Amino acid sequence: MLVAAFTFSLFQQEEDFTKELVDGSFISAQKIYATAVKTDTDKLSTALEFIVLDAGLRHAMLAKDRNALLQQSLPIFQKLRQEYGITHFYFHAPKRDNFLRVHQPDRFGDTINRFTAMQAEATGKPAAGLELGPLGTFTLRVVFPWYEGKRLIGYVELGEEIEHILKQINMLAGIDLYLSIKKQYISQPAWLDGMKMLGR
């Protein structure tokens, strides 16, 4: 009976220790995730504050000159991608029709119905969030309404994949995280295009 009581006590202590360890790691992972998302949202917002002030971009958008807008914005995108890991750069017309994807200039004209774009339209203020795009990429996005005086001329959007955040959690909390997306929410050809865009 003593051996049984000792074994049970040892088992109970091990179970309590494991629960505390798992709960503590989970809370740490949540805090790291929330901090990383806020930091990256602030980074995207800061970049957009400068982009919407760029006179060359504004002139090309007002002239509805897609080629000029691409020429003006491509060097900005390349710098943002190389230095800050930004993977998506969009210009949308006032009714949320995509005017230019700097990261995929051959795709344009579709209406953007993501939550962040719709929220920016509804409030007239910047909107941010994590969203699953049509290419099957899970992306942190920030959308800024773009004004000429009081007139809305469109929206500017930046986005980045969140894979690096999962790596941060692994490094800081020692937890392996995996992101899975149900195939029913993704078009396979679009997903393959998305992987090609990301160089995978």
Side-chain angles (χ1 to χ4, degrees):
M1 286 186 66
L2 282 172
V3 170
F6 176 76
T7 303
F8 176 76
S9 174
L10 192 64
F11 175 77
Q12 193 66 46
Q13 286 178 352
E14 183 67 26
E15 189 176 18
D16 291 345
F17 173 76
T18 302
K19 185 178 184 306
E20 282 181 30
L21 183 65
V22 169
D23 288 350
S25 296
F26 182 69
I27 291 168
S28 294
Q30 283 182 311
K31 287 180 179 177
I32 295 165
Y33 174 80
T35 301
V37 168
K38 184 182 184 313
T39 299
D40 284 12
T41 300
D42 291 346
K43 173 185 72 179
L44 295 171
S45 297
T46 300
L48 283 167
E49 285 173 6
F50 285 98
I51 289 169
V52 297
L53 294 175
D54 188 294
L57 296 176
R58 181 184 304 272
H59 178 75
M61 188 70 175
L62 286 168
K64 294 184 171 61
D65 188 337
R66 187 175 289 108
N67 288 330
L69 188 60
L70 179 60
Q71 295 305 313
Q72 294 275 342
S73 59
L74 191 57
I76 297 170
F77 174 59
Q78 289 168 340
K79 186 175 179 63
L80 291 173
R81 184 167 195 163
Q82 183 178 2
E83 295 188 12
Y84 302 107
I86 291 170
T87 52
H88 297 68
F89 189 4
Y90 304 81
F91 294 93
H92 308 308
K95 292 187 177 179
R96 289 184 284 106
D97 297 326
N98 175 256
F99 184 70
L100 173 66
R101 285 174 170 87
V102 183
H103 56 286
Q104 281 190 317
D106 293 337
R107 290 182 62 227
F108 58 86
D110 53 315
T111 302
I112 306 300
N113 291 318
R114 290 189 297 270
F115 173 76
T116 49
M118 294 174 74
Q119 187 179 31
E121 179 186 50
T123 64
K125 297 177 180 178
L130 284 161
E131 296 175 320
L132 178 64
L135 301 183
T137 55
F138 203 53
T139 308
L140 174 63
R141 301 177 187 276
V142 179
V143 182
F144 266 40
W146 198 9
Y147 293 96
E148 171 71 14
K150 293 186 177 180
R151 179 167 69 100
L152 179 70
I153 62 171
Y155 301 90
V156 188
E157 176 181 337
L158 289 177
E160 68 174 13
E161 304 305 309
I162 64 159
E163 194 174 90
H164 67 285
I165 294 177
L166 304 184
K167 289 178 181 176
Q168 280 181 343
I169 293 171
N170 173 259
M171 185 176 69
L172 296 172
I175 295 175
D176 290 321
L177 294 178
Y178 299 91
L179 177 64
S180 61
I181 301 167
K182 287 188 177 181
K183 290 172 80 172
Q184 71 193 55
Y185 298 117
I186 300 171
S187 153
Q188 186 175 7
W191 180 79
L192 290 170
D193 285 345
M195 294 302 100
K196 183 178 179 182
M197 180 192 78
L198 295 172
R200 298 177 186 167

